[in-house]
Amino acid sequence: ALIVAGIAIVYILFIIIGLDIIISQIISLLIVSVTGLLLIFYFFHKEESKMEKGAEASLPKKSITLYTTFPFFAYGFLYFAFLFMDRIIGWSTNNSYMPYIIWFRGAYELGLDFALLMMIVPMGACEVVVSKLMDELEEGQKNSFGTDTHIISKQFQRVYFRRLLLVAAIAVVSGIVTYFLVWQLDLHPPHGFRSGFLSNYVTHFVLIVALVSYAIVCCALMNCVTLFSLSQPEMAGRSVLISLVVNIVVGFLLSRWIDYYFAVFGLLAGSIVFLVTSSRKILQVFKNLDYYLYFQA
């Protein structure tokens, strides 16, 4: 809802009122950010009001808080670096016209930006699926004997990968729907919107490769959300770090050997590695599920 509201605000300020596009985006980001912050305070206050009144437990020292939360911060930094690294590599490719170290290339950017829209629904599905899975894990743990840990691990491993296939299916459908909507937008643009952008080979090429890449990333994100739920952010961080390195190496080499827009294959290669490495971490967790459930508790 906040994303849709932000887009609507930009549309009103830029198209209807006529403000500069950058000013419109800054105002929209400010409104959405403040609204999100206020909602967070509201929901936290609502939950705190339900809690028992009395003596409050002392909070840990700031050094301990920083130490325990740093892996989450590191993962977030690496994840967004992974998402945007191919753009930086593409923009820094020195070809026919390069007045600065980094030169914005709109055709490449447009394909990636449209492709990003397909992640909205699968990312939400990941949260719901993992939340449900953790509830089932907790319930299964309560209703089983300690000697059944191996059986439970195998059972939930099968359940997990069926859910992962569900998220993959949602991601594929979301990618197809996104491509269809972009295609229709190109054919029937609203007032003030430039048409014919898909006739640009680079934009069309990058859009298709990015849709495939982001669909793979959505599956990898389910693995990472599950690792977070089991208090294993370091595993998720290592997965995305390896993927970032692959993204940089493949994207850099192909963009320099062939053409700048081949940097998108760095994103594709990194996405595949991200899914493979995070899946291996999940399998590692399921082999000792009782330990990680205890660790999470």
Side-chain angles (χ1 to χ4, degrees), residues 2-225:
L2 285 174
I3 291 172
V4 173
I7 295 171
I9 292 170
V10 173
Y11 180 84
I12 292 170
L13 294 176
F14 178 59
I15 301 296
I16 299 177
I17 298 177
L19 285 180
D20 181 78
I21 183 62
I22 296 177
I23 300 298
S24 301
Q25 288 178 327
I26 291 174
I27 294 173
S28 177
L29 285 170
L30 181 62
I31 293 173
V32 170
S33 299
V34 172
T35 303
L37 190 62
L38 292 175
L39 285 172
I40 289 171
F41 282 125
Y42 168 74
F43 287 125
F44 268 85
H45 177 73
K46 185 178 178 180
E47 291 300 316
E48 286 177 352
S49 65
K50 299 176 184 177
M51 297 171 65
E52 295 182 7
K53 301 295 187 287
E56 296 182 358
S58 58
L59 295 174
K61 295 180 179 179
K62 289 183 179 180
S63 57
I64 296 175
T65 301
L66 288 173
Y67 177 79
T68 54
T69 56
F70 179 77
F72 294 94
F73 168 80
Y75 170 84
F77 178 83
L78 292 171
Y79 170 69
F80 284 104
F82 170 80
L83 282 186
F84 289 96
M85 185 53 64
D86 64 291
R87 303 173 194 238
I88 297 172
I89 291 172
W91 295 345
S92 62
T93 304
N94 189 357
N95 53 13
S96 58
Y97 183 72
M98 198 69 185
Y100 302 106
I101 296 175
I102 291 180
W103 186 249
F104 179 83
R105 291 175 166 90
Y108 186 91
E109 176 75 9
L110 194 61
L112 286 172
D113 288 346
F114 276 125
L116 269 176
L117 296 174
M118 65 84 56
M119 296 185 70
I120 296 173
V121 174
M123 287 176 68
C126 286
E127 296 288 343
V128 175
V129 168
V130 173
S131 178
K132 179 67 174 175
L133 180 70
M134 295 308 297
D135 290 341
E136 292 173 356
L137 276 173
E138 185 178 352
E139 191 65 26
Q141 187 182 25
K142 290 178 180 178
N143 298 326
S144 60
F145 295 102
T147 53
D148 297 334
T149 54
H150 182 70
I151 298 173
I152 295 172
S153 296
K154 288 290 184 182
Q155 175 187 347
F156 278 100
Q157 184 174 322
R158 289 193 296 270
V159 171
Y160 179 82
F161 282 102
R162 282 202 297 269
R163 304 280 174 84
L164 185 60
L165 286 175
L166 173 62
V167 171
I170 294 172
V172 170
V173 172
S174 180
I176 294 171
V177 170
T178 300
Y179 182 84
F180 176 77
L181 291 176
V182 172
W183 177 55
Q184 288 298 310
L185 183 65
D186 189 47
L187 290 177
H188 310 288
H191 177 68
F193 197 93
R194 180 173 63 88
S195 63
F197 50 84
L198 281 185
S199 62
N200 185 302
Y201 175 78
V202 172
T203 300
H204 197 195
F205 180 84
V206 170
L207 173 65
I208 293 173
V209 177
L211 283 172
V212 175
S213 303
Y214 291 147
I216 297 170
V217 169
C218 289
C219 298
L221 286 177
M222 180 175 168
N223 291 335
C224 291
V225 173

Side-chain angles (χ1 to χ4, degrees), residues 222-285:
M222 180 175 168
N223 291 335
C224 291
V225 173
T226 305
L227 291 171
F228 289 147
S229 300
L230 294 168
S231 301
Q232 298 300 315
E234 295 89 352
M235 287 187 175
R238 282 193 288 269
S239 295
V240 75
L241 175 60
I242 296 170
S243 308
L244 175 61
V245 173
V246 172
N247 189 346
I248 293 172
V249 173
V250 174
F252 182 85
L253 293 177
L254 291 181
S255 64
R256 269 58 180 179
W257 287 345
I258 305 175
D259 207 339
Y260 81 91
Y261 61 88
F262 274 75
V264 75
F265 282 109
L267 174 65
L268 178 60
S271 301
I272 295 171
V273 172
F274 191 17
L275 177 59
V276 171
T277 54
S278 60
S279 296
R280 289 183 62 185
K281 298 296 183 183
I282 285 292
L283 286 172
Q284 178 183 333
V285 167

